[in-house]
Amino acid sequence: MNPLPAAVLALFLVFFVLPALWLLLAATKTDHQLVHSNPLSFGSWQALRANWNALTAYQDDAVFLWLRNSALYSFLALVITLCVAIPAGYGLAMTEFKGRHTLLIATLVVMLMPNATLVVPLFLEVNAVHLIGSMWSIILPYAFYPFGVYLTYIYFSTALPKELLDAARLDGCSEFGVFRRVALPLAAPVVALVAFFSFVANWTNYFLPYVMLPESRQFPVQVGLGTLLNDVPQFNPTVGSLAVQRPELALATLLSITPVLIIFLFSQRFLVAGMLAGATKS
């Protein structure tokens, strides 16, 4: 029997599953239990309730406000991304025009650049149009998603049956009609992929909103977690009356990843359905 699969699964368990389990159990403990008890032991429901009450009382339910801000920024940016990236990928795949190759190379280069390298030029651009501190200073950069454009370009240029598009054109469909009635329904799998990756990238982005938004009530949950971390006495001894205990921080982290987990579970179902709906017989 080959021991390699078992070794890989064991490493996966150590590096991914155990930290997630520890985080889940940390929210059920007091700060003393978190430090001195078994790391993988369950605390108590009373401690979980106390941590919840303390977390929700922090700055008048600031955690829920941060979650709402994250949802607003991420979903509005996602709508713009889908409205722009899917037609752009289709246009790049199906039409020939001057500068197309250069545009594809530029899209690929920008896609490979780390997000942090774009924050300063984005800040200068957004500041030039006087949007710093508004929700659009987050939504518009979030909506710029070259990976989605390139992913849809690859799909439309390789996986889409050209015969169906040609048949629709022969039947009198305009190019927009071909895209809306034929290409888009068949592209359900790639639309689901772009939507999922875009949402996760928007939800987990920290540096951009940290730079763009000056007020705590505007923060998304990722920047809010940084605020909570700064109020933990073990990490910041100068904290005042707004001290946050480490189990409360663990609970806030669980709240911040729950929407991504839910979106992931639902996107799996829609992705499989989209693959089956877009299947064709040759």
Side-chain angles (χ1 to χ4, degrees):
M1 180 177 178
N2 188 357
L4 183 60
V8 171
L9 288 176
L11 287 175
F12 179 83
L13 178 67
V14 171
F15 287 104
F16 294 99
V17 178
L18 288 183
L21 180 60
W22 177 89
L23 182 66
L24 185 64
L25 294 172
T28 68
K29 301 177 181 179
T30 65
D31 195 70
H32 182 270
Q33 289 174 332
L34 184 64
V35 176
H36 296 95
S37 65
N38 186 333
L40 298 180
S41 64
F42 180 81
S44 66
W45 294 110
Q46 292 79 7
L48 177 61
R49 188 180 302 109
N51 292 332
W52 174 266
N53 292 335
L55 180 62
T56 54
Y58 179 82
Q59 294 186 5
D60 298 325
D61 292 338
V63 172
F64 294 114
L65 178 61
W66 295 335
L67 287 169
R68 189 195 70 182
N69 291 340
S70 287
L72 177 65
Y73 301 154
S74 299
F75 279 112
L76 287 180
L78 175 60
V79 171
I80 299 174
T81 295
L82 293 179
C83 291
V84 173
I86 307 302
Y90 177 83
L92 287 172
M94 297 300 169
T95 58
E96 293 286 345
F97 55 89
K98 187 177 180 180
R100 173 176 172 270
H101 182 70
T102 303
L103 185 58
L104 283 171
I105 295 298
T107 302
L108 182 60
V109 170
V110 176
M111 180 185 75
L112 296 177
M113 293 176 64
N115 289 333
T117 62
L118 300 176
V119 170
V120 173
L122 283 174
F123 178 86
L124 296 176
E125 291 180 0
V126 172
N127 185 59
V129 293
H130 309 290
L131 289 178
I132 295 296
S134 71
M135 69 176 185
W136 296 109
S137 66
I138 305 300
I139 294 172
L140 293 179
Y142 276 1
F144 176 72
Y145 195 53
F147 176 71
V149 176
Y150 203 80
L151 189 63
T152 53
Y153 160 74
I154 294 296
Y155 180 86
F156 284 128
S157 60
T158 59
L160 195 64
K162 302 297 190 298
E163 298 81 5
L164 291 178
L165 304 183
D166 293 336
R169 294 187 184 101
L170 289 175
D171 287 340
C173 257
S174 63
E175 195 61 40
F176 179 75
V178 172
F179 168 73
R180 183 173 64 87
R181 298 178 181 179
V182 180
L184 193 57
L186 293 177
V190 76
V191 172
L193 281 176
V194 172
F196 173 71
F197 286 128
S198 175
F199 178 83
V200 172
N202 297 340
W203 188 274
T204 57
N205 196 313
Y206 170 82
F207 196 28
L208 180 68
Y210 177 77
V211 172
M212 297 290 189
L213 300 176
E215 298 182 9
S216 173
R217 297 190 65 81
Q218 298 175 305
F219 289 166
V221 69
Q222 303 303 326
V223 182
L225 288 177
T227 302
L228 286 171
L229 181 64
N230 193 52
D231 286 339
V232 175
Q234 289 77 12
F235 303 125
N236 181 15
T238 63
V239 67
S241 59
L242 293 176
V244 176
Q245 301 302 315
R246 285 170 288 190
E248 299 165 27
L249 181 62
L251 181 57
T253 304
L254 290 173
L255 287 177
S256 72
I257 65 176
T258 299
V260 175
L261 179 61
I262 294 173
I263 293 294
F264 173 73
L265 294 176
F266 277 95
S267 68
Q268 281 190 315
R269 294 179 55 192
F270 290 126
L271 183 58
V272 172
M275 288 180 177
L276 294 177
T280 59
K281 293 183 179 180
S282 56

